[in-house]
């Protein structure tokens, strides 16, 4: 009899409505309200009510088409052209300012004309600013603490758009653009001590601009006394307030309003909310406010599922452009803010704003499609051959040695048609590396490492408890088939949560000495993968498997000339690459700064990857012994690991398992300097194994004084380097990941006997 499978996630009762669907429903409702009220608000116009009604219907149809197209675009593909898009919009903003190209209306030059069609460029420039800013902040999220790269550069993006909009002049849209941009900067992690002075400076600049513009100064002064200036500067606002007064709580009735009969200017655009108040009354206007509030709350709920910083900031910007614009319009119409021409989203007449709203809505729908693949229908969860698609959670944060193999395993599972969620820490090294993998969903979990320091120990206990609560909720929501942990403090919460929920757990230890997390949690796992020859007494023989370390698909040997061209290294000189990983880089950085003047004149170019917050990017040039210049590069970080390793003649590095696995895959000889502070001294065990296998040799940190001599003797010995490379090629096991994937799929299969039938440890 065929085995009966448990119901898929989509078949289980769901009581939480899709937040993006709520936003779409609200937007459709507001659009229909706008069409209805527009017909009434334009009744007194000489063109007749149908003129604006027909234009609005065409605009709604165009916005719907734009929304559909935007919802189907690959945002990560479009992101490659972020600067081209931003540059094109900047150019259009400049063209608007040129006489005879830009169309001036009531003293402001904001439109470009194409025949009978007019487009307000600043509407689309707001979204362009959000797109470019989100792209830049995501690329540089580890540098947001820096003044130049982390604040002044993104501020330049904001002011480039906002400044050109001010020149139109359009102070309201410029203020909205700057406000959204600064909010995104804050959410990305920019420091308050930079943001607060900027807000003060922007406010002062706008005050100066208003004071030096007699028309705007007169309008602002009149705003302070609406009743006294009702025949002059506040006529429009006074008529708007009169419309609300006439409407009362019940309203005068649809089509029965009188304020729009040539009393209230711009009744069909900026002040259409006053028509709503007069004809439909207080309760209906409060309903409109509530609908915008629902859009905002639903957007916040939707943002909780953002897979990376770029998409989080992009959708946040879209949400702010809708809600802040609504707040400004409602505030102007009700007399809270001075009069400013700004459309009410989805309701006011105007093609440009409708198209913008269509784009914003399309982006939200787009992200709901790409973020929400955990709720696939039953038939979509069946792969070729009848195999079932499974959801996996991989915990791999904290260090590059945990994160890199986790990404490698995720690549393999996704390639086989499964769904993967990766748990990472909140450390900078995680944030920097994951930006290269936008196709995965990364989830930051609370947690911190173990320490004997009393304060740090308390922090560890509290954060691990928070992580456990977070992970229990995550397991209930995602219902994974299996959880895979790569050690480190991020594994504790999810492994315990999975064990409590009776979800199969697999653990992977890449070091020759199992870490604290693996030793402690091994008893909860149904499978524990360890390097060949490593013993783990706390784990049953049935659960133990010998396996190497998964290596990311991009890590492979690249032709040396091609790899060196990537970085601009000299193709003929010897190249030494030094990096200390996410831990222990300080001593190696100091060695390079002390010894490069000895090695470089002998024709050895050096590239030192210092690590984040441990130096500055830069190049030093020295004369070589043959008269040719020799360069020394310092770089904070690189995600082009395969190119860098393939370009090198020799590596000096720490002995983390991840670094060793990548050295083996790229066949690059190395001198390993074990980090003496590594837990359980596991790096010394890793380095000794590497040396015994013939991939290089070991220099202890206490013996760094002899490292320069060892580098000189090795890097110029071509025969020794060839021997090392041959040994590294022999050590590489490229099928390791495939075998591990087979075993994890068997472990996660419903009703699998894989664990029960295993009676002894085995090599994959």
């Amino acid at each position: 009899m065929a085995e009966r499978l448990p119901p898929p996630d989509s078949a289980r009762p769901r009581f939480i409505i899709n937040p993006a669907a709520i936003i779409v429903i609200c937007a459709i409702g507001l659009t229909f309200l706008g069409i209805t009220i527009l017909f009434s608000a334009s009744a007194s116009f000489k063109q007749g009510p149908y003129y604006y009604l027909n234009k609005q219907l065409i605009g709604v149809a165009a916005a719907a088409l734009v929304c559909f197209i935007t919802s189907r675009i690959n945002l990560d593909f479009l992101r490659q052209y972020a600067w081209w898009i931003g540059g094109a919009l900047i150019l259009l903003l400049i063209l608007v300012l040129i006489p005879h190209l830009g169309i001036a209306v009531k003293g402001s030059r904001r439109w470009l004309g194409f025949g009978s069609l007019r487009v307000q460029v600043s509407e689309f420039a707001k979204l362009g600013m959000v797109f470019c800013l989100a792209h830049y902040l995501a690329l540089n999220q580890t540098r947001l603490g820096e003044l130049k790269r982390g604040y002044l550069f993104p501020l330049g993006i904001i002011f480039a758009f906002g400044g050109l909009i001010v020149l139109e002049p359009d102070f309201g849209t410029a203020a909205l653009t700057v406000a959204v941009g600064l909010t995104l900067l804050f959410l990305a992690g920019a420091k308050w001590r930079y943001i607060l002075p900027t807000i003060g400076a922007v406010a002062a600049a706008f005050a100066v601009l208003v004071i030096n513009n007699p028309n705007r100064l007169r309008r602002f002064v009149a705003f302070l006394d609406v009743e006294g200036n009702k025949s002059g500067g506040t006529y429009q606002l006074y008529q708007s307030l009169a419309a609300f007064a006439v409407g009362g709580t019940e309203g005068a009735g649809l089509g029965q309003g009188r304020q729009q009969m040539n009393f209230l200017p711009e009744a069909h655009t900026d002040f259409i909310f006053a028509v709503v108040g007069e004809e439909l009354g207080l309760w209906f206007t409060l309903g409109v406010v509530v609908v915008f509030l629902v859009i905002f709350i639903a957007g916040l709920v939707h943002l909780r599922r953002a897979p990376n910083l770029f998409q989080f900031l992009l959708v946040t910007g879209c949400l702010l452009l809708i809600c802040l614009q609504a707040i400004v319009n409602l505030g102007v119409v009700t007399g809270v803010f001075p009069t400013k021409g700004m459309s009410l989203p989805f309701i006011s007449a105007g093609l440009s704003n409708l198209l913008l709203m269509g784009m914003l809505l399309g982006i939200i729908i787009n992200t709901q499609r790409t973020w929400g693949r955990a709720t696939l229908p039953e038939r979509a969860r069946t792969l070729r051959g009848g195999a079932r698609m499974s959801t996996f959670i991989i915990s791999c944060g904290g260090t590059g040695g945990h994160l890199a193999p986790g990404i490698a395993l995720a690549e393999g599972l996704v390639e086989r048609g499964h769904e993967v969620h990766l748990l990472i820490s909140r450390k900078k090294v995680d944030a920097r590396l994951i930006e290269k993998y936008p196709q995965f969903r990364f989830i930051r979990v609370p947690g911190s490492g173990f320490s004997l320091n009393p304060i740090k120990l308390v922090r560890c206990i509290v954060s691990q408890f928070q992580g456990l609560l977070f992970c229990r909720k995550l397991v209930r929501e995602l219902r994974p088939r299996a959880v895979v942990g790569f050690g480190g403090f991020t594994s504790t919460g999810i492994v315990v949560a999975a064990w409590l929920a009776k979800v199969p757990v697999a653990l992977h230890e890449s070091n020759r000495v199992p870490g604290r997390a693996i030793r402690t949690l091994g008893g909860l796992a149904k499978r524990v993968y360890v390097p060949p020859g490593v013993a783990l007494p706390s784990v049953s023989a049935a659960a133990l498997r010998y396996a190497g370390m998964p290596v990311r698909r991009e890590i492979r040997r690249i032709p040396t000339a091609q790899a060196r061209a990537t970085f601009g290294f000299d193709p003929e000189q010897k190249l030494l690459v030094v990096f200390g990983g996410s831990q222990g880089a300080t001593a190696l950085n100091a060695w390079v700064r002390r010894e490069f003047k000895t090695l470089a004149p002998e024709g050895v170019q050096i590239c030192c990857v210092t690590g984040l917050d441990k130096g500055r990017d830069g190049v030093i040039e020295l004369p070589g012994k043959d008269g040719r210049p020799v360069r020394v590069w310092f770089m904070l970080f690189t995600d082009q690991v395969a190119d860098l390793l393939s370009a090198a003649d020799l590596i000096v590095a720490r002995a983390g398992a991840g670094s060793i696995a990548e050295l083996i895959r790229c066949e690059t000889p190395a001198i390993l300097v074990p980090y003496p502070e590594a837990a359980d001294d596991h790096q010394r065990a890793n380095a000794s194994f590497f040396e015994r296998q013939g991939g290089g040799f070991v220099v202890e940190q206490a013996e760094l004084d002899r490292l320069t001599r060892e580098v000189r003797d090795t890097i110029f010995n071509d025969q020794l380097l060839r021997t090392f490379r041959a040994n590294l090629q022999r050590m590489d096991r490229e099928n390791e990941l495939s075998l591990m994937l087979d075993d994890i799929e068997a472990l996660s299969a419903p009703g699998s006997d894989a664990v029960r039938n295993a009676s002894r440890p085995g090599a994959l």
Side-chain angles (χ1 to χ4, degrees), residues 346-521:
F346 305 109
I347 297 179
S348 294
L351 176 62
S352 297
N353 189 254
L354 279 175
L355 292 178
L356 174 65
M357 292 301 130
M359 290 180 182
L360 301 180
L361 203 60
I363 290 173
I364 293 173
I365 296 171
N366 188 313
T367 54
Q368 175 59 38
R369 289 175 51 248
T370 56
W371 299 355
R373 287 171 181 164
T375 56
L376 295 175
E378 171 70 15
R379 64 177 177 273
R381 301 182 71 88
T382 302
L383 309 176
R384 292 190 188 96
R388 294 265 303 179
M389 171 183 166
S390 298
T391 298
F392 291 89
I393 294 177
I394 299 175
S395 175
C396 57
T399 68
H402 295 140
L403 187 56
I407 292 174
L409 181 62
E411 288 175 332
L413 289 170
V414 169
E415 191 174 67
R416 295 191 178 198
H418 299 294
E419 178 184 329
V420 178
H421 304 264
L422 294 99
L423 305 191
I424 61 172
S425 73
R426 295 172 179 174
K427 294 171 68 174
K428 287 186 177 181
V429 63
D430 290 11
R432 187 64 183 261
L433 185 57
I434 65 174
E435 275 303 309
K436 194 172 182 181
Y437 301 93
Q439 69 271 31
F440 296 135
R441 185 190 178 199
F442 293 92
I443 304 171
R444 292 177 172 84
V445 297
S448 61
F450 178 81
S451 174
L452 294 177
N453 180 296
I455 296 176
K456 293 182 178 179
L457 180 60
V458 171
R459 183 188 304 160
C460 171
I461 294 171
V462 172
S463 64
Q464 289 293 354
F465 181 71
Q466 293 174 331
L468 175 60
L469 296 179
F470 179 90
C471 291
R472 289 204 67 181
K473 180 179 178 183
L474 192 67
V475 169
R476 286 195 299 267
E477 289 179 354
L478 298 179
R479 301 180 184 271
R481 291 288 190 189
V483 167
V484 183
F486 281 86
F489 60 83
T490 58
S491 293
T492 305
I494 190 62
V495 168
V496 174
W499 179 76
L500 291 172
K502 299 185 179 352
V503 174
V505 173
L507 295 175
H508 183 281
E509 175 57 68
S510 53
N511 292 301
R512 305 296 302 179
V513 178
R516 183 181 293 108
I518 300 297
R519 297 197 306 268
T520 305
L521 302 172

Side-chain angles (χ1 to χ4, degrees), residues 413-752:
L413 289 170
V414 169
E415 191 174 67
R416 295 191 178 198
H418 299 294
E419 178 184 329
V420 178
H421 304 264
L422 294 99
L423 305 191
I424 61 172
S425 73
R426 295 172 179 174
K427 294 171 68 174
K428 287 186 177 181
V429 63
D430 290 11
R432 187 64 183 261
L433 185 57
I434 65 174
E435 275 303 309
K436 194 172 182 181
Y437 301 93
Q439 69 271 31
F440 296 135
R441 185 190 178 199
F442 293 92
I443 304 171
R444 292 177 172 84
V445 297
S448 61
F450 178 81
S451 174
L452 294 177
N453 180 296
I455 296 176
K456 293 182 178 179
L457 180 60
V458 171
R459 183 188 304 160
C460 171
I461 294 171
V462 172
S463 64
Q464 289 293 354
F465 181 71
Q466 293 174 331
L468 175 60
L469 296 179
F470 179 90
C471 291
R472 289 204 67 181
K473 180 179 178 183
L474 192 67
V475 169
R476 286 195 299 267
E477 289 179 354
L478 298 179
R479 301 180 184 271
R481 291 288 190 189
V483 167
V484 183
F486 281 86
F489 60 83
T490 58
S491 293
T492 305
I494 190 62
V495 168
V496 174
W499 179 76
L500 291 172
K502 299 185 179 352
V503 174
V505 173
L507 295 175
H508 183 281
E509 175 57 68
S510 53
N511 292 301
R512 305 296 302 179
V513 178
R516 183 181 293 108
I518 300 297
R519 297 197 306 268
T520 305
L521 302 172
L524 307 182
K526 295 192 180 241
R527 188 75 85 241
V528 179
Y529 304 99
V530 296
V534 172
L536 194 56
S538 61
V539 176
S540 68
L544 202 63
R545 292 290 183 275
Y546 295 135
M549 183 157 178
V551 178
R552 290 172 289 163
R553 185 180 297 108
E554 69 184 73
I555 305 298
R556 67 191 190 284
R557 179 71 188 176
I558 296 171
T560 302
Q562 176 184 334
R564 292 195 175 193
T566 301
F567 293 94
F569 298 140
D570 190 294
E572 297 179 5
Q573 294 174 346
K574 292 292 185 178
L575 173 63
L576 173 70
V577 171
V578 182
F579 60 93
S582 56
Q583 300 179 26
T586 303
L588 296 185
N589 295 342
W591 175 80
V592 172
R593 293 189 178 99
R594 186 173 63 249
E595 300 294 332
F596 74 83
K597 292 182 181 179
T598 301
L599 291 170
E602 297 186 21
V604 179
Q605 52 187 332
I606 304 172
C607 177
C608 178
V609 182
T610 64
L612 300 171
D613 299 327
K614 292 183 175 66
R616 294 184 302 175
D617 291 335
V619 181
I620 298 173
E621 188 172 295
L622 298 172
K625 60 183 179 181
D626 58 356
R628 295 172 56 193
V630 180
R631 293 183 177 87
V632 180
W633 285 263
F634 292 92
M635 60 179 68
L636 294 176
F637 177 87
T638 181
D639 56 8
Q640 296 173 297
V641 177
D643 291 281
L644 189 59
L645 296 182
S646 300
D649 292 291
L650 182 66
I651 300 287
V652 172
R654 294 300 189 181
S659 298
I660 291 176
E662 291 172 349
L663 288 170
I664 293 172
R665 180 58 53 86
C666 293
E667 303 171 14
T668 308
I671 299 176
L672 299 181
V673 183
Y675 180 46
E677 303 298 324
D680 303 309
D681 207 15
H682 69 263
Q683 287 207 8
R684 181 169 283 106
N686 294 341
S688 297
F689 178 80
F690 183 80
E691 186 175 45
R692 289 196 305 271
Q693 296 297 314
F697 52 90
V698 179
V699 172
E700 296 292 341
Q701 182 162 308
E703 302 173 345
L704 280 182
D705 289 342
R706 71 179 181 91
L707 181 58
T708 303
R709 184 176 69 254
E710 298 289 358
V711 167
R712 185 189 296 114
D713 292 344
T714 305
I715 202 167
F716 290 108
N717 190 336
D718 293 334
Q719 179 59 43
L720 180 59
L721 292 177
R722 282 194 293 270
T723 301
F724 284 154
R725 289 195 187 96
N727 292 335
L728 291 167
Q729 190 173 21
R730 173 183 51 79
M731 293 165 63
D732 191 20
R733 298 175 62 188
E734 292 197 43
N735 64 339
E736 199 79 57
L737 177 59
S738 177
L739 296 172
M740 188 175 172
L741 289 169
D742 292 340
D743 194 57
I744 289 177
E745 283 185 322
L747 177 69
S748 64
S752 171

Side-chain angles (χ1 to χ4, degrees), residues 94-402:
I94 294 173
L95 293 178
V96 165
L97 302 176
I98 300 175
H100 308 299
L101 285 179
I103 299 173
V105 177
K106 297 181 180 180
S108 295
R109 195 178 298 276
R110 306 176 186 174
W111 293 267
L112 286 177
F114 305 93
S116 60
L117 180 67
R118 288 185 179 182
V119 176
Q120 189 172 349
V121 178
S122 59
E123 292 290 337
F124 307 100
K126 293 183 292 188
L127 179 56
M129 184 277 297
V130 168
F131 194 80
C132 291
L133 187 62
H135 174 65
Y136 180 87
L137 293 175
L139 285 178
N140 296 273
Q141 56 185 300
T142 58
R143 297 179 173 177
L144 292 176
E146 302 174 12
L147 176 61
K148 183 178 178 182
R149 297 287 295 272
Y151 192 73
L152 295 181
F153 281 11
L155 198 64
I157 296 173
I158 298 171
F159 286 163
F161 286 91
L164 288 171
I165 295 173
V166 164
L167 295 177
E168 294 181 353
D170 187 349
F171 289 2
T173 301
L176 177 63
T177 302
V178 173
V180 171
L182 290 177
T183 303
L184 295 183
L185 258 179
F186 168 70
L187 293 175
K191 296 182 178 179
W192 270 114
R193 68 171 181 264
Y194 299 151
I195 294 179
L196 289 178
T198 303
I199 294 174
V202 170
F206 273 101
V208 170
L209 290 172
V210 169
I211 291 171
N212 287 280
N213 188 308
N215 182 43
R216 283 177 170 76
L217 181 61
R218 191 182 310 113
R219 284 164 55 184
F220 180 77
V221 172
F223 169 74
L224 301 177
D225 182 13
V226 177
E227 183 72 25
N229 294 277
K230 62 183 180 182
S231 299
T234 61
Y235 173 80
Q236 190 177 27
L237 176 57
Y238 183 82
Q239 294 298 330
S240 174
L241 297 176
F244 286 109
V246 171
T249 58
E250 303 297 330
L254 197 61
Q256 301 303 310
R258 292 293 176 267
Q259 281 299 317
Q260 66 267 28
M261 299 296 182
N262 295 321
F263 290 101
L264 177 62
E266 309 297 340
H268 64 306
T269 54
D270 304 338
F271 278 76
I272 196 169
F273 188 62
V275 181
V276 176
E278 182 182 18
E279 297 193 351
L280 300 178
L282 174 66
W283 301 119
F284 216 96
T285 57
L286 290 178
V288 172
V289 175
V290 169
V291 169
F292 280 111
L293 181 61
V294 169
I295 289 176
F296 182 70
I297 294 174
L300 293 181
V301 174
H302 177 54
L303 283 168
R304 294 177 59 193
R305 308 179 64 199
N308 53 54
L309 184 61
F310 167 69
Q311 295 199 18
F312 172 82
L313 294 176
L314 178 61
V315 175
T316 300
C318 294
L319 189 64
L320 290 174
L321 287 176
I322 295 172
C323 296
L324 286 183
Q325 184 168 321
I327 289 172
V328 172
N329 180 274
L330 298 178
V332 167
V333 175
T334 56
V336 177
F337 303 137
T339 303
K340 172 69 199 77
M342 191 171 290
S343 302
L344 184 59
F346 305 109
I347 297 179
S348 294
L351 176 62
S352 297
N353 189 254
L354 279 175
L355 292 178
L356 174 65
M357 292 301 130
M359 290 180 182
L360 301 180
L361 203 60
I363 290 173
I364 293 173
I365 296 171
N366 188 313
T367 54
Q368 175 59 38
R369 289 175 51 248
T370 56
W371 299 355
R373 287 171 181 164
T375 56
L376 295 175
E378 171 70 15
R379 64 177 177 273
R381 301 182 71 88
T382 302
L383 309 176
R384 292 190 188 96
R388 294 265 303 179
M389 171 183 166
S390 298
T391 298
F392 291 89
I393 294 177
I394 299 175
S395 175
C396 57
T399 68
H402 295 140

